[in-house]
Amino acid sequence: MERKSYSGYSMTLLPWKRAAQKSGPQTSAFEDLALPLLPSLYNVAFWLSRNAADAEDLVQETYLKSLRGFGAFEPGTNFKAWIFRILRNTYLTSRTGLATRNTVALEDELSGGFDSGAALHPESAIDRQTPEMNLIGLGDRAALQAAMEQLPPPLLEVILLCDMEEMKYKDIAVALDVPIGTVMSRIARARAALRESLKASNFLSRGVRA
Amino acid sequence: MSDHLSPALLSSLADAELTPAQRAIAEAHLAECPSCTSSALFHSLLKSATARAGQRYSLPPGFEERLVRTARRESPASEASPPNAALRAAKTFAFAGWAAAIALLLISGSIFVVERNSHRIALESSQTASLATEACDQHLATLAANLPPQVLSSDRHTVKPWFQGKLPFSFNLPENLPDDTKLEGANLTYLHNQPSALLLYSIGKHRASVFVSQKTSANISDGFRAEHSGFHVAGFTSEDLEVVAVSDVDPARLSNLVDLIRQAQSGTLPLKQ
């Protein structure tokens, strides 16, 4: 077990060592890569921190940390995944991130893998015109945003990176520092949670109208 | 074996993450199963709707400019190679500024030196505060996680070798600690985006986190002391190492631990490439 972690660390740290000894931060190259991502970083930061001031602080700290550590970035790898990883680590060590991390319990694995559909999708539960599909079809953005707000941060961040930032699973795994299987299970759980929230909000609104 | 596609597979299908073989199996199933087809359609609609709904917050006006200014102040060397036309114009302006600064230097060199020193002090102060904040946050996170250390041992001959191959530097641990001070273990962590050793000590009933990093820039001054959110922060720099300790224990006892770690470093050498 320890041998495995030894080789894993060696592969990542030695390139860092080599890069760190190059001449100072290449700020212009960094700006070329980082500035176009600022709107995305801010948007995700706001979703996670839930207020503008914290989002600004989070993005600023991420930007400065990334600039300082830019020597460690390996050209040819995914810069977006790299900087989102720094954003996420910064968030996790912020006061808000610490509070949420300590209050959210998350089961990373779905029961079973690709073959476990029957239990979660009984034939009678799936319909072409489900209430939540009607909501989405009508483009009820407010309902969906409310449902997203209810997601625990580990599910929210994965759905933002996947759907909004259109990142591939392998890049999300890098950004979140989790195995790719965990990314897949979290996305599935996030969508199931959104589906349930939309269903509940639809029932509620129909109840109010009635 | 299930008759229906799992949620994970339906999500992967919507995200175009299936291998060709998995996709062929899924499409064959969808051709025969209306309920899974409906569910696949839902996943696809949900994905595009979430993408639209997620685009909710825009950068505040002027934020990008403020951020870039702040970053360039912190990294003055950055102005050596701006990336685009706007920044080339900024470079020209910067050269003019430098020329003016040189002229001003000829007129009043002493004032320039004083201002440069005050700027450096302000920058160092900002870097020190940033380092203290991150060290405190990690100390809090370690306490809150309440997990056993990655290397669980009070033996310095076990803890130090554990870092071989994991850190691009080496360090020493003090042999003789005060009676109420004990090494509990250590973790590999990152401080200021650099791999660091996080040594976990108990001092009486208090916990102390000691971060040992390779010295790359003057983040802290030698023998620095600070207070952050009620925690005491102490540290030192040697020729090759930067050490920061955080605890809520009495500052004198924390300083004593830091001094012992400093004394143990004599003879420590960085690993050569």
Side-chain angles (χ1 to χ4, degrees):
Chain A
M1 180 65 80
E2 186 164 324
R3 185 179 180 81
K4 182 182 177 184
S5 73
Y6 174 92
S7 61
Y9 283 122
S10 297
M11 287 168 63
T12 55
L13 290 187
L14 292 180
W16 171 88
K17 171 65 177 173
R18 286 194 296 273
Q21 294 195 341
K22 291 178 182 171
S23 60
Q26 300 167 354
T27 311
S28 63
F30 173 80
E31 287 181 352
D32 283 348
L33 293 168
L35 290 180
L37 295 175
L38 275 187
S40 297
L41 290 168
Y42 180 81
N43 189 41
V44 171
F46 203 133
W47 272 104
L48 294 175
S49 60
R50 308 289 169 97
N51 74 75
D54 285 352
E56 284 190 30
D57 289 346
L58 186 51
V59 172
Q60 175 162 323
E61 198 173 344
T62 299
Y63 188 92
L64 295 178
K65 279 184 180 177
S66 308
L67 175 58
R68 284 194 293 265
F70 189 50
F73 173 69
E74 294 185 43
T77 59
N78 191 313
F79 179 81
K80 187 173 184 177
W82 182 77
I83 199 167
F84 267 96
R85 180 174 184 160
I86 295 173
L87 174 81
R88 194 228 184 202
N89 288 340
T90 306
Y91 166 71
L92 288 178
T93 54
S94 69
R95 306 246 173 262
T96 332
L98 283 171
T100 51
R101 189 164 53 167
N102 292 334
T103 53
V104 172
L106 182 68
E107 294 171 15
D108 274 336
E109 303 305 325
L110 286 174
S111 52
F114 278 178
D115 298 329
S116 63
L120 294 166
H121 282 249
E123 182 74 18
S124 59
I126 302 174
D127 189 291
R128 286 180 185 276
Q129 294 298 323
T130 57
E132 65 271 26
M133 279 183 74
N134 290 335
L135 267 179
I136 294 169
L138 291 172
D140 193 336
R141 191 173 178 142
L144 189 49
Q145 287 175 342
M148 290 169 71
E149 284 176 351
Q150 292 173 27
L151 288 177
L155 299 188
L156 176 62
E157 65 186 359
V158 78
I159 210 72
L160 289 174
L161 295 182
C162 179
D163 291 354
M164 201 179 66
E165 296 304 324
E166 298 182 326
M167 289 170 67
K168 305 300 288 182
Y169 285 2
K170 64 181 173 57
D171 295 328
I172 298 173
V174 170
L176 302 184
D177 196 19
V178 296
I180 200 165
T182 302
V183 172
M184 294 165 67
S185 65
R186 286 188 186 179
I187 288 173
R189 296 184 71 227
R191 288 184 176 143
L194 289 174
R195 183 183 184 129
E196 287 306 308
S197 291
L198 291 172
K199 191 186 294 183
S201 67
N202 185 257
F203 287 155
L204 283 175
S205 61
R206 286 199 297 186
V208 170
R209 281 197 297 273
Chain B
M1 188 69 177
S2 164
D3 290 331
H4 290 295
L5 303 182
S6 71
L9 193 144
L10 288 165
S11 277
S12 299
L13 181 65
D15 296 328
E17 289 277 358
L18 293 181
T19 63
Q22 288 172 330
R23 185 177 175 84
I25 293 170
E27 286 177 346
H29 178 82
L30 291 178
E32 298 176 353
C33 179
S35 60
C36 282
T37 304
S38 171
S39 198
L41 177 62
F42 166 76
H43 276 77
S44 179
L45 286 173
L46 180 62
K47 180 179 174 64
S48 56
T50 307
R52 288 193 302 274
Q55 300 288 353
R56 191 177 190 183
Y57 306 108
S58 303
L59 277 178
F63 176 73
E64 181 174 335
E65 289 74 14
R66 288 199 304 275
L67 181 57
V68 169
R69 272 201 307 273
T70 304
R72 287 180 183 168
R73 271 202 308 273
E74 185 165 312
S75 177
S78 66
E79 292 178 10
S81 55
N84 54 35
L87 291 179
R88 276 195 294 275
K91 181 181 178 182
T92 306
F93 185 79
F95 275 125
W98 277 112
I102 291 169
L104 187 62
L105 177 66
L106 293 173
I107 297 168
S108 53
S110 59
I111 296 175
F112 177 80
V113 169
V114 168
E115 288 186 349
R116 189 182 61 178
N117 283 344
S118 63
H119 174 74
R120 180 179 54 78
I121 290 166
L123 183 59
E124 286 176 2
S125 172
S126 164
Q127 288 174 333
T128 301
S130 169
L131 186 68
T133 301
E134 189 172 342
C136 281
D137 283 345
Q138 287 212 35
H139 176 66
L140 273 172
T142 305
L143 293 181
N146 199 26
L147 294 172
Q150 291 169 6
V151 52
L152 178 60
S153 173
S154 60
D155 179 7
R156 68 195 181 103
H157 298 296
T158 300
V159 171
K160 180 182 170 182
W162 184 81
F163 286 102
Q164 287 179 45
K166 298 183 175 73
L167 291 172
F169 59 91
S170 182
F171 56 90
N172 290 331
L173 294 170
E175 183 172 4
N176 298 314
L177 294 170
D179 288 343
D180 63 344
T181 302
K182 182 184 174 191
L183 176 64
E184 301 287 351
N187 290 334
L188 181 68
T189 187
Y190 282 79
L191 189 68
H192 260 38
N193 294 311
Q194 293 177 25
S196 307
L198 168 52
L199 307 172
L200 304 167
Y201 285 92
S202 59
I203 305 177
K205 292 186 177 178
H206 301 269
R207 301 283 297 275
S209 296
V210 181
F211 299 86
V212 182
S213 313
Q214 190 171 25
K215 184 178 177 183
T216 54
S217 62
N219 279 329
I220 61 169
S221 57
D222 191 24
F224 110 102
R225 301 284 183 274
E227 299 289 318
H228 185 87
S229 303
F231 288 95
H232 307 295
V233 186
F236 69 86
T237 58
S238 67
E239 188 178 346
D240 304 303
L241 299 177
E242 197 169 83
V243 175
V244 177
V246 183
S247 180
D248 61 351
V249 74
D250 165 330
R253 295 163 81 190
L254 182 63
S255 294
N256 186 33
L257 174 62
V258 169
D259 288 341
L260 289 170
I261 295 172
R262 179 208 291 267
Q263 289 161 16
Q265 300 316 309
S266 57
T268 299
L269 293 173
L271 297 180
K272 301 298 182 189
Q273 289 286 319

